[in-house]
Amino acid sequence: MIISILGCGWLGLPLAEQLRDDRHTINGSTTTEDKLQVLKGKSIRPFYIKLDPDLNSNADPSFWDAHLLILNIPPGRNRKDVQSFHRHQIEEVVNQVTDSPIKKVIFISSTSVYPAQPGIVAEADATPGQAARPSGNALLEAEQLLRKQTDFNTIILRFGGLYGYKRHPITHLAGRKNLDGGSAPVNLIHRDDCTGIIKKVIKSDIAGGTFNAVSDGHPPKSMYYPAAAKAFGYEPPTYKQDEAENGNKIVSNSKLKKQLGYKFKYPNPMDF
């Protein structure tokens, strides 16, 4: 199978290597010209592709000559125009895919599409315009745009907070004092499980659908992040003791496990 991966970064590159090892032909894109040689050296066909938000005029159209596209371009959190910018990016991709042999798209979304409300949330609980952050609303709009296409099928994977391989949210929290939300559960997923789930989807006969991809365990932040800080040698953050139980959201992964039969390599972030 020929698989194109739009976005060969922290997640996309190791995924490309694993799929290459599974004897797929991989087209990999980067927005950094220096990285083209890195991809080539890993036997991944390199493509320089930027969506700013228009597709760069010198993009090689053979990138889209594939059976499957893995679309991994998250919206920038700090952009004031994040929704319109990301919508334009996705529209550019849709135009290319519509005129290509690609019949299936795996879109990497996020659990940031859910509102900041307590309780267990499932895939149907995301409401347009009600996400906790503008970037979440941008992703929801992108999901809707892809889902309504008839020239190809789309599978949406809503990943939780990503960690693993020198990337961990504790690096942004270390040493911070008197933080809110200590009782709120974490909704995280290890990179190995991200790649495992994507590979499971590729091997399955699922034509479409939306799936939360979050580890089974949801320890509270006030327990998890100080423990992570100790494990990685950082100053632990501290949390307020008396707080309201607001936003204690647990993202359910039951649909993923039931329909895909996926078993997590890292079911609890505390184990890692």
Side-chain angles (χ1 to χ4, degrees):
M1 183 187 297
I2 302 174
I3 300 174
S4 290
I5 301 178
L6 188 58
C8 284
W10 179 82
L11 173 61
L13 181 56
L15 174 64
E17 293 179 274
Q18 292 179 36
L19 292 174
R20 174 208 63 200
D21 292 344
D22 289 340
R23 300 187 181 279
H24 296 292
T25 299
I26 308 300
N27 298 331
S29 84
T30 178
T31 59
T32 307
E33 293 189 39
D34 292 344
K35 198 173 179 180
L36 293 171
Q37 289 303 315
V38 174
L39 294 175
K40 186 176 181 180
K42 294 179 179 292
S43 299
I44 297 165
R45 296 166 62 185
F47 292 84
Y48 178 69
I49 294 181
K50 293 190 75 172
L51 292 159
D52 198 26
D54 293 320
L55 180 66
N56 54 303
S57 59
N58 61 339
D60 185 342
S62 65
F63 174 81
W64 311 100
D65 292 334
H67 303 99
L68 168 71
L69 172 69
I70 298 172
L71 180 51
N72 181 31
I73 50 168
R77 288 188 181 184
N78 298 324
R79 295 192 66 95
K80 292 182 179 180
D81 60 343
V82 60
Q83 285 187 247
S84 60
F85 188 89
H86 196 56
R87 179 176 62 250
H88 195 134
Q89 288 180 308
I90 300 301
E91 287 171 344
E92 288 282 280
V93 171
V94 167
N95 290 337
Q96 297 298 320
V97 174
T98 299
D99 295 329
S100 80
I102 295 169
K103 293 304 176 185
K104 183 180 288 187
V105 173
I106 298 176
F107 179 55
I108 307 303
S109 187
S110 165
T111 55
S112 65
V113 299
Y114 296 109
Q117 63 184 30
I120 298 174
V121 294
E123 287 78 1
D125 294 324
T127 304
Q130 299 299 312
R133 295 191 296 267
S135 58
N137 287 320
L139 283 169
L140 263 179
E141 192 171 352
E143 289 182 6
Q144 289 180 312
L145 178 60
L146 291 165
R147 199 180 287 118
K148 73 179 184 181
Q149 303 304 314
T150 57
D151 292 305
F152 57 88
N153 295 320
T154 301
I155 296 168
I156 297 165
L157 297 176
R158 293 174 178 165
F159 285 135
L162 305 174
Y163 74 97
Y165 299 98
K166 298 182 180 180
R167 171 172 172 167
H168 199 284
I170 189 56
T171 59
H172 305 292
L173 297 172
R176 296 178 62 180
K177 307 296 182 184
N178 213 29
L179 293 172
D180 292 320
S183 64
V186 299
N187 294 282
L188 300 175
I189 185 169
H190 192 278
R191 190 177 75 183
D192 286 352
D193 283 312
C194 294
T195 56
I197 289 167
I198 294 170
K199 290 165 67 177
K200 188 83 170 180
V201 168
I202 292 172
K203 292 178 181 178
S204 75
D205 58 359
I206 293 176
T210 302
F211 300 89
N212 291 332
V214 178
S215 300
D216 296 325
H218 302 275
K221 292 179 179 180
S222 59
M223 174 192 295
Y224 178 69
Y225 288 118
K230 182 178 180 180
F232 290 105
Y234 292 105
E235 181 184 354
T238 63
Y239 288 84
K240 295 177 181 177
Q241 297 298 314
D242 51 344
E243 60 176 66
E245 297 291 320
N246 293 326
N248 289 8
K249 174 179 63 186
I250 292 179
V251 179
S252 170
N253 64 9
S254 60
K255 181 181 177 181
L256 176 82
K257 293 193 293 184
K258 182 177 181 180
Q259 293 195 20
L260 280 177
Y262 185 76
K263 294 183 179 180
F264 284 84
K265 182 177 180 180
Y266 297 99
N268 192 330
M270 291 296 289
D271 296 335
F272 179 80

